[in-house]
Amino acid sequence: MHSSSSNLYNKRWVFWAACIGILLFGMGIITLGSIKQAISVRYGLNDIGAGTLFSILPLGILLGSLFFGPACDKYGYKFILACCCLAMCLGFEGIAYASSTTVLKLGVFLFGLGGGAINGATSALVADLSAAKKGANLSILGVFFGLGALGMPFLLGILEHRFSYDAIVSMVGLVTFGLGIIYLCIKFPAPKQTGGFPMKEGIGLLKDKVILLIAFFLFCQSSFEAIINNWTTSYLTGFKLLAADQALYALSLFVVGMTLMRILLGSVLSNLKAASLWILAFVLLGAGLVLLICSSTYVMAVIALMLMGAGLAGGFPLMLGLVGDRYKTLSGTAFGLVLVIALAGNMLINYVVGIIAEKFGIEYLTTVALIEWIVMILLCVAILKRIKVHK
């Protein structure tokens, strides 16, 4: 278990350390939404003020995703991941104990910055650790993100009668700091670039049509996930006339469907050919989308969202696995490029859906999702043809 004779490291320890990092990022990414009401009351925020906080978070994640790649390729993972944990810890503590809205915004930005970097760095790290079955191992990593996203509302719910939300968020921040110490104490793979920053090679990625196709597939994937996460409750309550608590529960099962499917992708489905996995993914996603459009009951909506979550589960792990295979010595920089484009899609399409919902009605959410489903199929076919995975 080594990357070179001078850098022995335990792959299992490193893998699980990466999984814990992404779990804490998953917990943090859902924290703002989970404590939005309490924060609004404490700081006297209206909807515009709360919306500003939600816009700062993706900005920090975008910047973290932009810079982690070249840094990891040049300096290795150890100190980058430790710094990510420090930034996330400061972010958690800032969100918990901010003395003003300015400090609160800084905390949100720091969490986004560290979280965006740790999201990309752990994915690149797992790809580097995996000589084979990169997609399967990245799916397991994705399971931990889902557990974190599901776990934070659960943690807040069971502890809210014993602790204030700020104490709970602060405790998670301290755990994140402890993980940073662990990162400093274990060995990681050696840096892949021993010269200067791999900027020239990084710019060269923009000429690779396969990487660009993957990036724009993830542009659609990320934005599809975003519009489901951010607009489904409005769709179910405003158009399908479900109760608010039913809509929220149905949305949580979207994450459950995604997490369960990633467990299957990392285990019993790991030996299937890529083409078969993609056919399964698009059938599940399409079936879920059609069922959501036709749904007239709460049960139908729940099944639809679970199917959609399962259909979307493989997108990031499988595509990032292809990136890792293609750029073994430049994985961080390559991951950074595709993740930045994916996040841009998340922000852009989410904004577009907001405009569409305001001008034409929330019922057009499924129209946007249907268009993205078709575009994703076309992009996936083009990618598989170019890399000849289907042969």
Side-chain angles (χ1 to χ4, degrees), residues 56 77 107 110 195 231 283 300 306 320 324 328 330 365:
I56 291 172
Y77 292 100
L110 284 173
W231 294 100
V283 168
M300 288 177 69
M306 288 195 72
L320 291 178
K328 291 183 173 64
L330 207 65
L365 169 68

Side-chain angles (χ1 to χ4, degrees), residues 132-133 135-136 264-277 318:
K133 296 186 178 180
L264 294 176
L265 288 170
S267 53
V268 297
L269 299 178
S270 63
N271 291 319
L272 282 182
K273 291 183 178 180
S276 300
L277 291 175
L318 294 176

Side-chain angles (χ1 to χ4, degrees), residues 77-83 177-188:
Y77 292 100
K78 178 191 288 281
F79 295 108
I80 304 301
L81 287 171
C83 288
F177 182 80
L179 179 62
I181 300 298
I182 292 173
Y183 283 147
L184 291 175
C185 294
I186 61 177
K187 285 195 172 184
F188 285 85

Side-chain angles (χ1 to χ4, degrees), residues 7 24 31 78 86 99 126 175 188-189 198 209 225 252 261 290 346-347 376:
N7 186 56
L24 290 168
T31 293
K78 178 191 288 281
L86 176 60
S99 57
V126 168
V175 172
F188 285 85
K209 291 181 180 179
E225 291 181 23
S252 70
M261 188 61 182
V290 170
N346 183 314
M347 297 165 71
M376 288 167 71

Side-chain angles (χ1 to χ4, degrees), residues 88-306:
M88 289 170 64
C89 172
L90 292 173
F92 277 123
E93 301 305 325
I95 292 168
Y97 297 122
S99 57
S100 66
T101 54
T102 300
V103 177
L104 177 63
K105 291 174 183 176
L106 179 61
V108 171
F109 175 77
L110 284 173
F111 172 80
L113 185 68
I118 208 168
N119 177 48
T122 51
S123 297
L125 175 58
V126 168
D128 286 350
L129 293 174
S130 310
K133 296 186 178 180
K134 283 182 169 59
N137 288 336
L138 285 164
S139 294
I140 296 299
L141 185 71
V143 168
F144 280 82
F145 174 82
L147 291 174
L150 289 168
M152 193 63 181
F154 178 73
L155 191 66
L156 288 165
I158 62 173
L159 296 178
E160 65 179 350
H161 298 299
R162 298 184 63 186
F163 302 98
S164 61
Y165 84 84
D166 48 7
I168 299 168
V169 173
S170 177
M171 283 189 285
V172 177
L174 292 176
V175 172
T176 308
F177 182 80
L179 179 62
I181 300 298
I182 292 173
Y183 283 147
L184 291 175
C185 294
I186 61 177
K187 285 195 172 184
F188 285 85
K192 297 183 288 291
Q193 300 290 326
T194 55
F197 268 105
M199 295 306 294
K200 182 178 179 181
E201 295 87 344
I203 294 171
L205 294 174
L206 296 172
K207 300 176 182 178
D208 185 339
K209 291 181 180 179
V210 173
I211 291 295
L212 292 178
L213 284 170
I214 291 173
F216 283 103
F217 178 92
L218 294 179
F219 177 103
C220 296
Q221 166 89 23
S222 180
S223 58
F224 201 126
E225 291 181 23
I227 62 175
I228 296 301
N229 280 318
N230 295 332
W231 294 100
T232 296
T233 52
S234 298
Y235 177 82
L236 293 176
T237 56
F239 184 58
K240 296 295 183 176
L241 303 179
L242 294 182
D245 58 338
Q246 288 182 320
L248 285 170
Y249 184 69
L251 181 59
S252 70
L253 288 173
F254 168 74
V255 182
V256 170
M258 181 178 286
T259 303
L260 290 175
M261 188 61 182
R262 282 180 172 165
I263 292 173
L264 294 176
L265 288 170
S267 53
V268 297
L269 299 178
S270 63
N271 291 319
L272 282 182
K273 291 183 178 180
S276 300
L277 291 175
W278 284 117
I279 290 170
L280 175 62
F282 287 123
V283 168
L284 289 172
L285 183 55
L289 187 52
V290 170
L291 189 59
L292 183 64
I293 293 170
C294 299
S295 64
S296 56
T297 66
Y298 169 64
V299 172
M300 288 177 69
V302 166
I303 296 171
L305 285 166
M306 288 195 72

